């Protein structure tokens, strides 16, 4: 029996990368995991099948953040899936991971790009959490995935950085709000992580440069971050809330 046996979890954006590794890690600890995806149903089902092959429990839910009705669509699928498998819609763990990037010069950012990034990375995180409040029991867990871009300046990622800064503010303020219910909420800050889909990691020179940024002299892997998230989801982390945990391998030490 794992540390999360008989608990339920929603991991947004979990068809690939850090989200996928997190869904798999929580399932190995015994949680029933809702694997959220936006467009790639095949990838999400692959995650579910992999979890089930290892004896875990999972199901996929779809919602495209930034579209009208996105949160309603997500929770319709989530609650239906939970009730079918447990008889209840109770959600013990929420991992707000879904996000998109914007990499372009500040002068080239359009209102449309700005609105999309903020809608997916900040607005959706807030309203997913707001909707989850009615399903989270006392003692529940919320983990928000931020980014190392909140710790250093890169003009080409200004909008992305703004959106992730908002995620950390969500953590700070909700820690006070949820504390009386024993619900903890924390942010995890990854550094550059090889999510298996970014072409830059095929270039040995770039990989060497990124590895050199880390105090541990290697490139971060999704499992490195997922293990931190899993810790925060367990009772072992019961006395941590409102925190921002650096899971960058020392890439943000300056």
């Amino acid at each position: 029996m794992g540390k999360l046996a008989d608990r339920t979890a929603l991991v947004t954006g979990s068809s690939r990368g850090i989200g996928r590794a997190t869904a798999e890690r929580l399932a190995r600890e015994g949680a029933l995991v809702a694997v959220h995806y936006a467009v790639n149903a095949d990838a999400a089902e692959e995650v579910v099948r992999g979890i089930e092959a290892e004896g875990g429990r999972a199901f996929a839910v779809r919602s495209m953040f930034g579209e009208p009705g996105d949160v309603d669509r997500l929770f319709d699928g989530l609650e239906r899936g939970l009730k079918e498998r447990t008889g209840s819609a109770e959600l013990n763990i929420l991992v707000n991971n879904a996000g998109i990037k914007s990499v372009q010069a500040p002068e080239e950012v359009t209102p449309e790009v700005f609105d999309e990034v903020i809608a997916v990375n900040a607005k959706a995180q807030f309203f997913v959490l707001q909707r989850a409040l009615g399903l989270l029991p006392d003692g529940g867990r919320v983990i928000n995935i931020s980014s190392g871009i909140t710790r250093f300046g890169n003009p080409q990622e200004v909008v992305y950085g703004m959106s992730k800064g908002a995620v950390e503010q969500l953590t700070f303020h909700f820690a006070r709000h949820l504390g009386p219910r024993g619900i903890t909420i924390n942010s995890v800050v990854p550094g550059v992580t090889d999510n298996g889909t970014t072409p830059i990691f095929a270039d040995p020179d770039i990989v060497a440069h990124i590895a050199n940024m880390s105090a541990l002299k290697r490139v971060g892997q999704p499992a490195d971050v997922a293990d931190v998230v899993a810790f925060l989801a367990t009772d072992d982390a019961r006395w941590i809330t409102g925190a921002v945990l650096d899971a960058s391998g020392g890439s943000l030490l300056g």
Side-chain angles (χ1 to χ4, degrees):
M1 298 292 285
K3 292 185 176 181
L4 300 177
D6 301 322
R7 298 188 194 179
T8 59
L10 166 64
V11 183
T12 65
S14 49
S15 64
R16 62 183 181 87
I18 291 172
R20 175 175 183 160
T22 297
E24 293 168 343
R25 183 70 173 80
L26 297 180
R28 284 197 295 273
E29 287 293 343
L32 167 62
V33 181
V35 177
H36 161 257
Y37 69 98
V39 294
N40 196 336
D42 290 342
E45 289 298 340
E46 181 183 339
V47 177
V48 171
R49 288 194 300 271
I51 288 172
E52 291 176 340
E54 293 186 356
R57 300 175 298 153
F59 62 95
V61 289
R62 180 193 177 277
S63 180
M64 174 72 82
F65 290 154
E67 293 184 346
D70 52 0
V71 175
D72 288 338
R73 192 173 301 109
L74 171 65
F75 277 85
D76 286 347
L78 172 67
E79 293 181 40
R80 182 169 57 252
L82 291 176
K83 288 177 181 177
E84 288 174 354
R85 292 161 177 81
T86 69
S88 166
E90 183 174 271
L91 178 68
N92 303 105
I93 302 159
L94 168 63
V95 181
N96 264 325
N97 168 74
I100 58 174
K101 292 196 75 170
S102 170
V103 181
Q104 57 194 144
E107 295 84 356
E108 297 174 359
V109 175
T110 64
E112 291 76 17
V113 167
F114 185 95
D115 289 347
E116 182 183 20
V117 173
I118 296 300
V120 175
N121 294 4
K123 181 180 179 181
Q125 313 296 323
F126 177 90
F127 285 103
V128 167
L129 175 53
Q130 182 193 68
R131 181 70 176 268
L133 294 181
L135 305 181
L136 283 164
D138 291 356
R141 297 286 184 267
V142 180
I143 301 100
N144 297 321
I145 306 301
S146 181
S147 168
I149 196 62
T150 60
R151 300 298 185 273
F152 62 89
N154 180 6
Q156 291 188 321
E157 294 184 282
V158 59
V159 180
Y160 180 63
M162 290 173 66
S163 70
K164 288 300 187 177
V167 169
E168 294 184 13
Q169 288 299 308
L170 184 70
T171 297
F172 296 147
H173 296 289
F174 267 89
R176 286 285 190 187
H177 185 59
L178 298 177
R181 294 180 53 192
I183 297 173
T184 66
I185 178 169
N186 296 286
S187 291
V188 173
V189 180
V192 180
T193 305
D194 184 358
N195 62 15
T197 61
T198 305
I200 63 171
F201 290 101
D203 186 325
D205 291 335
I206 293 178
V207 170
H209 173 71
I210 293 172
N212 198 50
M213 292 169 58
S214 166
L216 301 176
K217 301 305 179 187
R218 69 172 176 85
V219 173
Q221 299 297 316
D224 296 324
V225 183
D227 286 348
V228 176
V229 175
F231 163 69
L232 291 172
T234 69
D235 290 338
D236 292 342
R238 62 191 176 277
W239 201 233
I240 303 173
T241 195
V244 179
L245 276 73
D246 182 330
S248 73
S251 298
L252 306 175
L253 295 175

